[in-house]
Amino acid sequence: MQNLLSDVVVVDLTRALAGPHAAMMLGDLGARVIKVEAPGGGDDSRGWGPPFVEGESTYFLSANRNKESVTADLKSEDGRDFLTKLVRRADVLIENFRPGVLDRLGFSVERLHELNPGLVILSITGFGHDGPDGGRAGYDQIAQGEGGLMSITGAVEPTKTGVPIADLLAGMYGAYGALAALHERSITGKGRVVRTSLLASVIGVHAFHGTKWTVAGELPERVGNHHAQIAPYGMYSTADDIVQVAVGSQGQWRTFAPIVGLDPDDERFAVNAQRVAHRNELTAAIEAAFAHESADVWLERLAEKGIPAGKVRDFQQVYEWEQTLSQGLLIDVEHPALGRIQLPGPPLRFDDQPYAGARETNLPPPRLGEHNESVRAWLGE
């Protein structure tokens, strides 16, 4: 299979997670991603741990597959000359410095486009490139709180998500914007700047919680492991474990209610709005029925009737699950220090590819400066 972005060269000036994730997404689609890191320590996330395996941070490994690593001190004349040569050969440049840093290094947007008018520049910040808070440093949990996400997550106190979702979403939105700009360039021949931020990414997924406020004037509240606007839809205790059940339509409700001994026409529960209003009573009734059988029995019974339900798996169970394996969501790579390792792979499949992604061969996350010689030779140095 031909790599979909095999003709695209990406210069990755980023560190931590949002920017590296965006660059990795383009690498997963076949782009050549050249990660430029500071000599000595490199990307901050190389030091984030434990765990470390043979000195390699598992955090860094998660966000840097399908890349090459070169080292350059961008504060030095040699480093700036090196980046200048890279920019002239590149299609996309990704950076997540605080606003103004790249300008002070001598690589303003204007200068970058002088060097390469077709360059697509993806810039990711914490809170945006302008406005009263545009210069603030951004970290995921701060953005989750400032962007309202924590106010609707958890049962009692505001809670962050288990993964750094603001970072990951900013990376995803950034890659999405960069692809659109590349498409435009194929028509106009000119590159443009794509900007996003951790704050924007969080607000971008407010979904129905956002319109609850902007349209209805009601503040969303935390409802724990239950859906804010659909019932029954959440997590319920059984005789030995917990299960999740999602009754998302009136037809499903009429099928589900008799299974747990409820009258589907009970005036408290007859329509979704009433079920949401009487959520606590409904939850108690469901758990009273569930208490008599194991989770496995209930999951089988609900599956037979076509009611969406499932387990809450830990990561070992997820990665050993046959469904995960059947979808090619783990990829094998040969790491220069760790040998053959498995990584959670890209979540896309194309045509009949038996594995996720769009590359013929997936590259392991690089060691710091691993590709100094090969990249400089490519540049003619």
Side-chain angles (χ1 to χ4, degrees), residues 26 35 37 62 105 108 139 164 272 288 304 325 374:
L26 299 180
K35 184 178 180 72
E37 303 185 70
S62 75
L105 290 172
S108 65
Y139 278 85
N272 182 69
E304 289 174 352
L325 300 175
S374 60

Side-chain angles (χ1 to χ4, degrees), residues 12-258:
D12 177 8
L13 300 182
T14 69
R15 65 266 184 239
L17 186 54
H21 191 75
M24 183 174 69
M25 289 182 66
L26 299 180
D28 287 343
L29 294 175
R32 181 179 187 181
V33 180
I34 300 171
K35 184 178 180 72
V36 180
E37 303 185 70
D43 188 324
D44 297 337
S45 68
R46 288 186 182 274
W48 288 355
F52 297 96
V53 181
E54 299 294 329
E56 299 291 325
S57 162
T58 58
Y59 194 113
F60 177 84
L61 296 177
S62 75
N64 289 283
R65 62 177 177 261
N66 292 322
K67 299 181 185 181
E68 302 166 63
S69 171
V70 295
T71 54
D73 179 3
L74 300 185
K75 296 179 181 179
S76 71
E77 184 176 351
D78 179 71
R80 290 192 293 271
D81 287 345
F82 174 72
L83 181 57
T84 296
K85 292 176 182 178
L86 270 182
V87 166
R88 287 181 170 139
R89 298 284 297 270
D91 299 284
V92 180
L93 180 142
I94 306 178
E95 61 93 7
N96 63 347
F97 295 109
R98 289 174 68 174
V101 170
L102 204 56
D103 295 44
R104 291 194 292 275
L105 290 172
F107 293 96
S108 65
V109 168
E110 293 76 18
R111 175 58 178 158
L112 289 170
H113 278 154
E114 283 178 11
L115 294 170
N116 183 346
L119 185 69
V120 170
I121 303 166
L122 169 58
S123 184
I124 302 175
T125 57
F127 293 90
H129 292 74
D130 47 25
D133 285 330
R136 288 176 62 183
Y139 278 85
D140 175 85
Q141 186 164 335
I142 307 302
Q144 286 194 45
E146 292 275 30
L149 195 61
M150 290 172 66
S151 76
I152 58 170
T153 306
V156 179
E157 65 178 12
T159 304
K160 70 179 182 66
T161 62
V163 296
I165 196 67
D167 277 329
L168 296 171
L169 285 168
M172 293 169 67
Y173 277 126
Y176 162 73
L179 289 173
L182 282 172
H183 174 71
E184 180 192 48
R185 189 191 70 170
S186 71
I187 301 169
T188 66
K190 295 181 180 180
R192 70 161 63 238
V193 181
V194 180
R195 293 190 171 103
T196 191
S197 67
L198 274 62
L199 176 64
S201 71
V202 168
I203 294 176
V205 294
H206 278 180
F208 56 88
H209 292 287
T211 51
K212 184 174 185 178
W213 168 251
T214 62
V215 179
E218 298 179 19
L219 276 175
E221 299 177 347
R222 293 183 293 281
V223 291
N225 289 311
H226 291 270
H227 198 289
Q229 292 176 234
I230 307 173
Y233 191 127
M235 192 169 73
Y236 304 91
S237 297
T238 70
D240 66 344
D241 206 344
I242 54 176
V243 298
Q244 298 203 90
V245 179
V247 177
S249 70
Q250 192 65 11
Q252 288 177 346
W253 165 249
R254 300 196 69 82
T255 300
F256 174 77

Side-chain angles (χ1 to χ4, degrees), residues 179-365:
L179 289 173
L182 282 172
H183 174 71
E184 180 192 48
R185 189 191 70 170
S186 71
I187 301 169
T188 66
K190 295 181 180 180
R192 70 161 63 238
V193 181
V194 180
R195 293 190 171 103
T196 191
S197 67
L198 274 62
L199 176 64
S201 71
V202 168
I203 294 176
V205 294
H206 278 180
F208 56 88
H209 292 287
T211 51
K212 184 174 185 178
W213 168 251
T214 62
V215 179
E218 298 179 19
L219 276 175
E221 299 177 347
R222 293 183 293 281
V223 291
N225 289 311
H226 291 270
H227 198 289
Q229 292 176 234
I230 307 173
Y233 191 127
M235 192 169 73
Y236 304 91
S237 297
T238 70
D240 66 344
D241 206 344
I242 54 176
V243 298
Q244 298 203 90
V245 179
V247 177
S249 70
Q250 192 65 11
Q252 288 177 346
W253 165 249
R254 300 196 69 82
T255 300
F256 174 77
I259 299 174
V260 293
L262 293 174
D263 176 4
D265 295 314
D266 184 317
E267 63 180 12
R268 297 171 299 169
F269 312 137
V271 297
N272 182 69
Q274 287 298 99
R275 294 194 291 274
V276 171
H278 295 90
R279 185 197 314 279
N280 291 341
E281 295 170 67
L282 180 57
T283 297
I286 293 170
E287 292 195 329
F290 279 4
H292 299 293
E293 302 282 1
S294 70
D296 285 342
V297 168
W298 279 110
L299 288 171
E300 183 177 352
R301 189 172 296 166
L302 293 169
E304 289 174 352
K305 296 294 185 178
I307 301 298
K311 301 178 179 180
V312 176
R313 299 173 187 265
D314 63 27
F315 275 44
Q316 179 179 352
Q317 292 168 325
V318 170
Y319 289 131
E320 292 178 352
W321 188 18
E322 184 58 36
Q323 186 61 24
T324 299
L325 300 175
S326 75
Q327 299 305 298
L329 295 173
L330 288 171
I331 58 173
D332 293 326
V333 296
E334 195 70 33
H335 190 276
L338 304 179
R340 196 164 188 79
I341 59 173
Q342 280 193 321
L343 299 173
L348 297 173
R349 293 173 72 180
F350 293 87
D351 297 327
D352 58 352
Q353 284 293 93
Y355 52 84
R359 296 184 69 100
E360 293 177 306
T361 304
N362 285 291
L363 306 177

